Amino acid sequence: MDFAIQGDALALLFFVALAAGFIDAMAGGGGLITIPALLLMQLPPILALGTNKLQGCSGSLTATIAMVMKRQVRLADVRGPFITAFIGAGLGTLAVQQIDPKALDAIIPLILLGIGLYFLLSPNAGSVDSKPRLGDRLYQFLVVPVIGFYDGFFGPGTGSFFSLVGVSLRGQNLISATAVAKVLNFATNIASLMMFIAGGKVIWLIGLVMVCGQVIGSYAGAHAAIKGGARLIRPVIVVVCFGMVCRYFWQKDMLPF
């Protein structure tokens, strides 16, 4: 689908995607930056979501490759969740083309606030592996596809959701949880992107320019996460989650400034 946009706007979106890729590789929430930027370019919401998935898919793939190469995650260990995340996201993307995503407005800020508070008030969460509180089947066939559905339907914060589940319910340390989150986020992104492409909801020129920025930012962010460990990832997750909540209230004119 064609959409006219000036060269300086494309340059701005490149750097927006670069910053979003860096943040998303560590904590998720890159959509907090990219989706508003696309909407500011006057893209209709459904085209903004579709184009965002194109650039986001490249970022999650780059982060996944970096995590696999650094042996932070084994693809064989996440094959099942990858498939159910893919299916959930595909269903979510079909739904968003039929239903107004504003239906999630009331609950998503509360969930994001909860994630931010969890990592803020539990400084030792994810420091080391612990005993899983949730079995493989419930995780794979319930939790993962639900988060996948959310990503296909709306998106921002998906990486944070996967990381939270990995730490709090699966007993993973924060680096491992972040690595698994990148793989599953790639599954949800690619499923959603396929549906948006089929529906003609992607602006290719804008998306490909942002892909270039995403790849650079995601590569740097993934390596920063591996090197910095939980002491770097945790505060980024907290800031991203609180930032998304503030953005929500700002959009609704509910902030006092």
Side-chain angles (χ1 to χ4, degrees):
M1 186 175 292
D2 294 328
F3 190 90
I5 188 167
Q6 300 298 319
D8 55 347
L10 287 174
L12 175 61
L13 288 174
F14 169 86
F15 288 106
V16 166
L18 190 153
F22 185 86
I23 293 172
D24 200 67
M26 288 195 294
L32 167 70
I33 300 173
T34 54
I35 291 177
L38 288 167
L39 292 173
L40 285 173
M41 298 300 168
Q42 304 302 310
L43 267 71
I46 194 66
L47 293 183
L49 289 174
T51 304
N52 182 65
K53 283 301 176 186
L54 174 60
Q55 61 92 34
C57 189
S58 67
S60 57
L61 175 59
T62 302
T64 294
I65 292 173
M67 292 294 186
V68 170
M69 291 182 66
K70 291 293 184 179
R71 298 183 180 179
Q72 298 300 318
V73 62
R74 293 176 66 250
L75 294 180
D77 294 339
V78 292
R79 185 181 297 114
F82 185 97
I83 294 172
T84 56
F86 183 95
I87 293 172
L91 294 174
T93 307
L94 288 175
V96 77
Q97 298 184 58
Q98 308 298 325
I99 305 172
D100 189 346
K102 290 183 178 179
L104 292 174
D105 273 357
I107 189 171
I108 295 305
L110 296 178
I111 297 175
L112 290 169
L113 183 62
I115 294 174
L117 288 173
Y118 175 82
F119 284 108
L120 178 64
L121 301 178
S122 303
N124 294 321
S127 298
V128 295
D129 292 330
S130 60
K131 185 178 180 180
R133 300 178 182 176
L134 186 70
D136 289 342
R137 294 183 66 83
L138 280 176
Y139 171 70
Q140 179 174 328
F141 294 107
L142 177 62
V143 176
V144 169
V146 167
I147 297 175
F149 184 92
Y150 164 75
D151 192 32
F153 192 81
F154 191 56
T158 299
S160 299
F161 293 158
F162 278 131
S163 294
L164 173 66
V165 169
V167 171
S168 63
L169 299 181
R170 295 296 294 162
Q172 299 166 343
N173 66 71
L174 192 49
I175 298 178
S176 295
T178 300
V180 171
K182 293 303 103 185
V183 178
L184 299 184
N185 208 174
F186 173 63
T188 60
N189 279 339
I190 193 67
S192 185
L193 176 60
M194 291 170 62
M195 294 296 180
F196 278 124
I197 290 175
K201 307 301 183 183
V202 176
I203 308 297
W204 287 96
L205 175 60
I206 296 175
L208 291 175
V209 168
M210 295 182 76
V211 161
C212 296
Q214 265 281 350
V215 169
I216 297 171
S218 296
Y219 180 84
H223 283 78
I226 294 169
K227 185 176 181 180
R231 61 187 176 84
L232 176 62
I233 299 172
R234 184 179 291 106
V236 173
I237 291 178
V238 172
V239 170
V240 167
C241 288
F242 288 169
M244 282 188 278
V245 172
C246 289
R247 171 178 166 262
Y248 168 82
F249 288 121
W250 177 74
Q251 283 182 320
K252 302 299 180 183
D253 293 323
M254 297 172 65
L255 292 179
F257 50 83

